[in-house]
Amino acid sequence: MDQYIELRQQIGQDLDTLKKTESPKSIFELADDYLLADAALKREVVEDIIKEEADKRNIGIH
């Protein structure tokens, strides 16, 4: 079971919003937003989730 279900859902929603409103940010910018909100998160985990959710949605991130 994914221990980051809530984070994954939030990232997915944020990516959907970004896709509709602006050009994609870099993965580092996106990850920074989440890491600032929760210092307990690990950058690698957040970046992996962002990549997976972006791939599911065919969203280009750099």
Side-chain angles (χ1 to χ4, degrees), residues 8-25:
R8 185 177 295 280
Q9 290 172 340
Q10 183 62 47
I11 288 172
Q13 290 172 352
D14 290 347
L15 286 171
D16 288 339
T17 300
L18 279 174
K19 185 176 182 180
K20 295 175 189 173
T21 61
E22 61 184 84
S23 51
K25 293 182 174 183

Side-chain angles (χ1 to χ4, degrees), residues 4 9-11 14-16 19 22 25-26 29 41 46-47 49-50 55-56 61-62:
Y4 298 103
Q9 290 172 340
Q10 183 62 47
I11 288 172
D14 290 347
L15 286 171
D16 288 339
K19 185 176 182 180
E22 61 184 84
K25 293 182 174 183
S26 78
E29 289 175 306
L41 292 173
V46 173
E47 289 179 359
I49 292 172
I50 292 169
D55 286 346
K56 285 182 194 174
I61 53 173
H62 56 277

Side-chain angles (χ1 to χ4, degrees), residues 25-48:
K25 293 182 174 183
S26 78
I27 193 166
F28 303 110
E29 289 175 306
L30 290 169
D32 284 346
D33 293 341
Y34 295 101
L35 294 168
L36 287 172
D38 186 348
L41 292 173
K42 293 187 177 154
R43 177 171 289 279
E44 184 177 327
V45 171
V46 173
E47 289 179 359
D48 287 346

